[in-house]
Amino acid sequence: LIGETVPPRERARYQGYLAAVMVTSSTFGPVAGGYLTEHFGWRSVFLVNLPLVLVAFLLATRLPGRAPPVTGTKRSFDAQGLAFFIAFVVPLLLALEFAQRMNLSALPGALFLLSVSGVALVLLLRRERVAQQPLLPVTLLAQPTIWRSDALAACHGAVLVSLVTFLPIYLRVRQGTSASETGLVLLPMMFGIGMGSMVTGRIVSRTGRTAIFPSIGLSTSTVLLFALALGIGLLSRFWLGVCLFFMGLFMGTVMGVVQVTVQNAAPPTALGRAAASVQLSRSIGAAIGTAVVGAVLFASLALSDPEAARLFGDLLRNGTRALGSLDADKLALLQGELGRAFRAAFLTMVAFAAIGAALAWSIPKRRL
């Protein structure tokens, strides 16, 4: 809708608003979820969505009407492409789940799932090349500006969602913070992302420059993430909040710019597919990236100390009260193993951020 109703130079400002709303709501979720879980139980996290869905439905009914269909054009949904896409993604995520166990009994199942995923990917790409209305717009993805922007969105989603997922777990099991306190730690990052998205959108609208902002933003975020991975155990709650604020500020330079870049590189008849490719890439990157970080975390624990991996599983299931049954030596050993495992997980996020920064610097189209 923004691409069709707003001039190209102004799109960045509105995409900045949109990105700020989307990313801020994603970051605010754990804050609300922590409060609801602690005070009303975990079921409230699901029940609170019912009125929100109703409001979203009512707002959707007020959107402008559909454009009249083009005469002589037959529309068809790529159901076969969707089936191959599901057959590619689901086994891949399950294989990463198997990889967390790090034992020989899980290896055949993981290899089988990876094989199924690989075959499905080949069939998906073959199908999308001949489909009249392809699920994945391969002609658009062949353009360097678009596929690099989409890959950048995937890396951004992997970093942001895995950080929002695993940082609260680290604070919960390593430092013993409550669910509400853990959620509040993410608030500075939420404010930073919203501010970064809106400021970047206004600057792009005034200058016409685009790719330079995620290039600098993700490069800086990579450095901050690396510092966080090495020194998170030494940071007080205040300095952790400061670090997360600036990380969010620079992470906020990405999504609005990526959306505008892809829309300006796509032809006017493909604005919808171009915009959808960015959101799809971000969602897939978030899902796979979070699974990879989780696999690294559990694998690090399982390889260094299987007993620590078992205790960590108990902590996730039963909360920090499970620590009360441990003697001082075993507790110190577990804390040390958890510190090393989480460091490996945070360094995996650093790798995703670094790949995203390299992609941002390589985007050919850098101005509107």
Side-chain angles (χ1 to χ4, degrees), residues 34-35 38 171-172 176-186 237:
Y35 180 85
E38 184 170 352
L171 295 172
R172 180 77 170 144
T177 57
S178 67
S180 298
E181 292 172 340
T182 300
L184 289 173
V185 171
L186 296 176
R237 193 70 54 80

Side-chain angles (χ1 to χ4, degrees), residues 233-277:
L234 305 175
L235 294 176
S236 66
R237 193 70 54 80
F238 172 79
W239 288 110
L240 177 60
V242 171
C243 181
L244 290 176
F245 171 77
F246 283 102
M247 192 180 303
L249 187 68
F250 288 105
M251 291 286 285
T253 63
V254 178
M255 284 306 297
V257 171
V258 167
Q259 189 71 263
V260 170
T261 300
V262 169
Q263 286 189 356
N264 279 275
T269 56
L271 279 180
R273 282 180 290 169
S277 72

Side-chain angles (χ1 to χ4, degrees), residues 80-92 120 124 135:
Q80 189 175 349
L82 177 61
F84 287 140
F85 180 77
I86 294 172
F88 159 61
V89 173
V90 174
L92 178 60
L124 173 64
L135 179 74

Side-chain angles (χ1 to χ4, degrees), residues 8 18 22-23 38 40 57 74 79 97 104 173 178 192 197 204 222 266 270 327:
L18 197 62
M22 179 187 66
V23 180
E38 184 170 352
F40 302 100
F57 173 76
K74 183 180 179 181
E97 176 72 19
L104 292 178
V173 303
S178 67
S197 299
V204 171
T222 302
D327 56 56

Side-chain angles (χ1 to χ4, degrees), residues 97 100 169 173 297-298 301-302 305-323 326 334 338 341-342:
E97 176 72 19
Q100 294 180 7
I169 295 176
V173 303
L297 174 63
F298 281 94
L301 278 174
D305 189 345
E307 179 64 14
R310 185 189 66 79
L311 290 173
F312 180 60
D314 291 340
L315 285 174
L316 292 180
R317 286 188 294 271
N318 304 318
T320 53
R321 61 179 179 274
L323 296 175
L326 301 179
L334 176 61
L338 284 176
F342 273 101

Side-chain angles (χ1 to χ4, degrees), residues 3-351:
E4 290 183 346
T5 57
V6 179
R9 192 67 172 258
E10 292 295 313
R11 287 177 191 167
R13 184 155 56 94
Y14 288 91
Q15 293 290 356
Y17 299 150
L18 197 62
V21 170
M22 179 187 66
V23 180
T24 301
S25 61
S26 300
T27 309
F28 182 73
V31 181
Y35 180 85
L36 290 170
T37 300
E38 184 170 352
H39 296 280
F40 302 100
W42 62 267
R43 290 178 178 83
S44 62
V45 176
F46 297 90
L47 296 176
V48 75
N49 285 287
L50 296 179
L52 296 178
V53 170
L54 178 61
V55 172
F57 173 76
L58 294 176
L59 290 173
T61 61
R62 300 182 62 186
L63 290 174
R66 297 179 182 178
V70 180
T71 56
T73 301
K74 183 180 179 181
R75 299 287 180 180
S76 61
F77 182 72
D78 185 14
Q80 189 175 349
L82 177 61
F84 287 140
F85 180 77
I86 294 172
F88 159 61
V89 173
V90 174
L92 178 60
L93 294 176
L94 291 175
L96 292 171
E97 176 72 19
F98 271 82
Q100 294 180 7
R101 304 178 188 178
M102 289 304 295
N103 56 54
L104 292 178
S105 63
L107 184 60
L111 292 177
F112 172 75
L113 289 169
L114 285 175
S115 300
V116 172
S117 180
V119 171
L121 177 60
V122 172
L123 295 175
L124 173 64
L125 295 177
R126 183 180 298 178
R127 163 65 185 174
E128 299 309 276
R129 290 191 181 98
V130 299
Q132 292 184 349
Q133 302 283 337
L135 179 74
L136 298 178
V138 289
T139 54
L140 287 178
L141 296 177
Q143 299 182 36
T145 294
I146 292 180
W147 76 257
R148 290 176 185 177
S149 297
D150 284 352
L152 169 58
C155 291
H156 180 266
V159 174
L160 184 60
V161 176
S162 60
L163 183 62
V164 170
T165 300
F166 289 101
L167 180 59
I169 295 176
Y170 172 85
L171 295 172
R172 180 77 170 144
V173 303
R174 185 83 198 281
Q175 300 184 5
T177 57
S178 67
S180 298
E181 292 172 340
T182 300
L184 289 173
V185 171
L186 296 176
L187 280 177
M189 186 167 69
M190 178 189 72
F191 293 132
I193 289 173
M195 184 182 299
S197 299
M198 290 186 288
V199 170
T200 300
R202 289 185 174 275
I203 297 176
V204 171
S205 295
R206 292 181 179 180
T207 65
R209 297 182 180 274
T210 54
I212 187 62
F213 298 106
S215 300
I216 295 175
L218 277 177
S219 298
T220 307
S221 296
T222 302
V223 175
L224 291 173
L225 264 173
F226 185 74
L228 187 67
L230 298 182
I232 187 172
L234 305 175
L235 294 176
S236 66
R237 193 70 54 80
F238 172 79
W239 288 110
L240 177 60
V242 171
C243 181
L244 290 176
F245 171 77
F246 283 102
M247 192 180 303
L249 187 68
F250 288 105
M251 291 286 285
T253 63
V254 178
M255 284 306 297
V257 171
V258 167
Q259 189 71 263
V260 170
T261 300
V262 169
Q263 286 189 356
N264 279 275
T269 56
L271 279 180
R273 282 180 290 169
S277 72
V278 175
Q279 301 303 325
L280 176 64
S281 299
R282 183 183 183 275
S283 299
I284 294 300
I288 294 178
T290 304
V292 169
V293 173
V296 170
L297 174 63
F298 281 94
S300 300
L301 278 174
L303 289 174
S304 62
D305 189 345
E307 179 64 14
R310 185 189 66 79
L311 290 173
F312 180 60
D314 291 340
L315 285 174
L316 292 180
R317 286 188 294 271
N318 304 318
T320 53
R321 61 179 179 274
L323 296 175
S325 61
L326 301 179
D327 56 56
D329 293 337
K330 185 172 289 189
L331 179 60
L333 177 63
L334 176 61
Q335 296 286 7
E337 294 294 344
L338 284 176
R340 284 186 285 273
F342 273 101
R343 186 176 298 114
F346 287 130
L347 288 175
T348 306
M349 300 178 204
V350 171

